[in-house]
Amino acid sequence: QVQLSESGGDSVQAGGSLRLSCTVSGYAENTYCLAWFHQAPGKGREGVARLASDGSTSYADSVKGRFTISRDSAKDTLNLQMTNLKPDDTGVYYCASGIAPSEGGICYLERRFFGVWGQGTQVTVSS
């Protein structure tokens, strides 16, 4: 079973940058698809970016051109580089791994396709 642990959350001014990291431990079939989700205060958890094992990526429209997802295989970490941050980016960011293909999973940026979650890291962007 894969285990995920996020870090890097902080409080920043609008226009600033942050780099979130997620330590991925425990080899599992479901690490073929990794993603970041965002939960704003009082709202549901929504997909931000996903990275498949073939290197393909996809992003939510709201973060395209500002956020970049990447994986450092040597360090077993999933990263999210966040630039030009906006107050709407405030919330808890979760790292997630996909439901295994053998269990019907596909690498698509929707919550229902992800089965393992980290504990989250808080990002606060002030105007």
Side-chain angles (χ1 to χ4, degrees):
Q1 177 75 350
V2 66
Q3 293 181 321
L4 308 171
S5 180
E6 305 91 336
S7 62
D10 205 344
S11 296
V12 297
Q13 295 282 334
S17 299
L18 279 177
R19 183 178 179 86
L20 306 183
S21 292
C22 172
T23 300
V24 182
S25 61
Y27 174 82
E29 179 187 0
N30 50 5
T31 58
Y32 80 105
C33 185
L34 297 170
W36 287 96
F37 282 74
H38 169 228
Q39 186 163 12
K43 296 187 178 180
R45 202 170 295 186
E46 298 182 349
V48 173
R50 67 99 177 137
L51 172 66
S53 56
D54 64 359
S56 63
T57 59
S58 63
Y59 296 88
D61 287 343
S62 60
V63 305
K64 284 180 180 177
R66 300 191 298 122
F67 291 9
T68 302
I69 189 171
S70 63
R71 186 170 184 181
D72 185 336
S73 297
K75 297 180 180 180
D76 286 334
T77 60
L78 178 73
N79 302 307
L80 185 68
Q81 181 66 47
M82 310 164 70
T83 63
N84 190 22
L85 283 160
K86 303 176 180 181
D88 284 347
D89 296 323
T90 293
V92 180
Y93 284 77
Y94 296 90
C95 176
S97 66
I99 294 172
S102 61
E103 298 177 3
I106 59 174
C107 195
Y108 193 71
L109 193 56
E110 286 186 7
R111 184 175 179 176
R112 59 192 171 108
F113 294 118
F114 292 84
V116 179
W117 299 83
Q119 82 287 351
T121 187
Q122 175 71 41
V123 172
T124 302
V125 184
S126 57
S127 56

